[in-house]
Amino acid sequence: DVKVTQSSRYLVKRTGEKVFLECVQDMDHENMFWYRQDPGLGLRLIYFSYDVKMKEKGDIPEGYSVSREKKERFSLILESASTNQTSMYLCASSPGVWQPQHFGDGTRLSIL
Amino acid sequence: SQQGEEDPQALSIQEGENATMNCSYKTSINNLQWYRQNSGRGLVHLILIRSNEREKHSGRLRVTLDTSKKSSSLLITASRAADTASYFCATPRNTGANSKLTFGKGITLSVRP
């Protein structure tokens, strides 16, 4: 089975901090994704990567950046955390952009 | 607006009953996918139906696709309390090489024991 592992289930940070969310997949998938999920808004795509060192902005990239130095690892970076970035963050991977996505269990991030 | 929109937003049924959830979308697609999310967890892929398929089954799940009406339905037969979850449909945003999936806002299904 594909396993997508997110480094933390719960995280509390302070406003202005630089925050790193890590995601690792073990199935050699080309594509990896970062979403945030908020009540009433569903899943919104922040960034995705279709190859090592390649990235593309999603719908809400402002305030975020990403890094993909190795195929199995995709990191989401909050450059200067703000309270409106409090959310559930979900990482996913897939062998192709239209193929089924495999999700991690999410990181519930609170910015105080 | 959303490419895929589910209906209803919430559904409450008794264990053993069937649950029907609907998804409508706006543009041409090559496939449509359904996912489940248990509370506090990530999404789990349930089933993918291609645009040239009309119906697909997986265990107690039955998915239909009507491309003329741009709609899909997910039927869960003989529901169980463990089916309590949120259900999402997802569609490719366009047919381009780097097209992404767009997820609807989800349907909250509650199955009462």
Side-chain angles (χ1 to χ4, degrees):
Chain A
D1 271 357
V2 176
K3 190 157 179 65
V4 178
T5 304
Q6 295 185 230
S7 53
S8 306
R9 290 295 307 275
Y10 301 94
L11 206 52
V12 180
K13 296 291 182 182
R14 299 217 170 267
T15 304
E17 279 193 69
K18 191 168 185 175
V19 181
F20 293 85
L21 302 183
E22 306 287 346
C23 175
V24 177
Q25 52 98 359
D26 66 358
M27 279 301 290
D28 203 36
H29 283 170
E30 300 292 331
N31 302 281
M32 297 188 75
F33 307 84
W34 275 106
Y35 297 90
R36 63 176 283 177
Q37 184 177 25
D38 301 287
L41 297 178
L43 271 75
R44 292 180 292 168
L45 181 65
I46 305 171
Y47 267 98
F48 80 102
S49 169
Y50 48 92
D51 202 350
V52 175
K53 297 191 188 295
M54 305 301 287
K55 60 187 179 185
E56 190 166 312
K57 292 179 180 178
D59 299 312
I60 50 164
E62 296 77 20
Y64 303 94
S65 63
V66 290
S67 171
R68 192 161 179 208
E69 296 296 318
K70 293 185 177 180
K71 193 173 188 179
E72 66 270 19
R73 186 179 297 271
F74 192 35
S75 303
L76 180 70
I77 304 153
L78 284 66
E79 297 291 344
S80 178
S82 64
T83 55
N84 63 10
Q85 293 178 309
T86 290
S87 186
M88 169 73 113
Y89 289 87
L90 292 164
C91 175
S93 73
S94 76
V97 287
W98 295 338
Q99 295 303 306
Q101 294 185 10
H102 301 264
F103 284 80
D105 274 338
T107 295
R108 190 165 292 281
L109 175 65
S110 296
I111 307 295
L112 306 178
Chain B
S1 60
Q2 294 280 88
Q3 161 71 324
E5 295 189 5
E6 299 96 343
D7 169 64
Q9 288 187 333
L11 185 60
S12 180
I13 59 173
Q14 200 74 35
E15 203 165 28
E17 292 179 340
N18 296 340
T20 300
M21 291 166 272
N22 303 300
C23 171
S24 60
Y25 58 92
K26 293 180 168 51
T27 62
S28 296
I29 58 172
N30 59 11
N31 74 68
L32 184 144
Q33 302 176 32
W34 285 93
Y35 290 77
R36 183 189 75 230
Q37 184 181 33
N38 291 344
S39 180
R41 307 298 295 272
L43 279 71
V44 174
H45 178 258
L46 294 176
I47 199 163
L48 180 154
I49 186 165
R50 301 187 195 286
S51 58
N52 60 354
E53 298 174 309
R54 290 295 168 260
E55 189 170 310
K56 202 162 182 180
H57 296 254
S58 177
R60 293 183 296 111
L61 306 181
R62 174 179 161 242
V63 169
T64 62
L65 180 64
D66 187 335
T67 53
S68 66
K69 294 181 180 177
K70 292 188 169 58
S71 68
S72 173
S73 67
L74 170 65
L75 169 68
I76 303 175
T77 59
S79 64
R80 306 167 181 169
D83 295 326
T84 293
S86 294
Y87 292 82
F88 297 83
C89 68
T91 54
R93 200 170 299 186
N94 55 51
T95 56
N98 281 332
S99 178
K100 285 82 68 178
L101 290 180
T102 297
F103 290 83
K105 294 181 181 178
I107 298 168
T108 301
L109 173 65
S110 298
V111 181
R112 303 185 301 275

